[in-house]
Amino acid sequence: MDKLTIKKARLDQTDEINEIVSKTIKEIYSKYYSNEVVDFFLELHNRDNIISDISEDNTYVIGCEATILGTGTINQNTISRVYIT
């Protein structure tokens, strides 16, 4: 069995992280929220904000070998942007 790892995200992982976040918001949030709310969360967790959090060493990836399975951001005592594929 392959081992899961949790590591700090790197800038070269931005596109993969952004894809996980955007895909989850579009597919899941749209079942429960209006389009305006979905658009709000897409903007809140946009690529630039993901880059900013990675640059500040606040973002982590959960993976198995080279595959990213999920991501989360910790800023002081706040956990946000937790998405699993």
Side-chain angles (χ1 to χ4, degrees):
M1 175 180 266
D2 294 323
K3 191 162 107 174
L4 289 178
T5 59
I6 299 174
K7 297 181 180 179
K8 288 204 178 206
R10 303 182 317 261
L11 285 173
D12 66 322
Q13 296 171 315
T14 299
D15 290 336
E16 287 179 85
I17 294 167
N18 188 54
E19 178 65 24
I20 291 169
V21 171
S22 296
K23 182 177 177 183
T24 303
I25 290 171
K26 289 174 186 174
E27 289 182 11
I28 304 301
Y29 285 33
S30 64
K31 294 178 184 180
Y32 304 99
Y33 301 110
S34 68
N35 289 337
E36 291 81 13
V37 173
V38 172
D39 290 342
F40 168 81
F41 280 105
L42 288 170
E43 179 58 30
L44 178 65
H45 299 297
N46 68 38
R47 189 174 193 282
D48 290 338
N49 289 338
I50 291 170
I51 288 171
S52 176
D53 284 331
I54 292 171
S55 296
E56 294 173 9
D57 284 334
N58 293 334
T59 299
Y60 294 81
V61 291
I62 301 163
C64 184
E65 296 188 11
T67 304
I68 296 175
L69 303 173
T71 184
T73 298
I74 301 171
N75 189 349
Q76 296 180 354
N77 293 330
T78 304
I79 298 172
S80 64
R81 199 183 299 121
V82 176
Y83 293 92
I84 306 293
T85 60

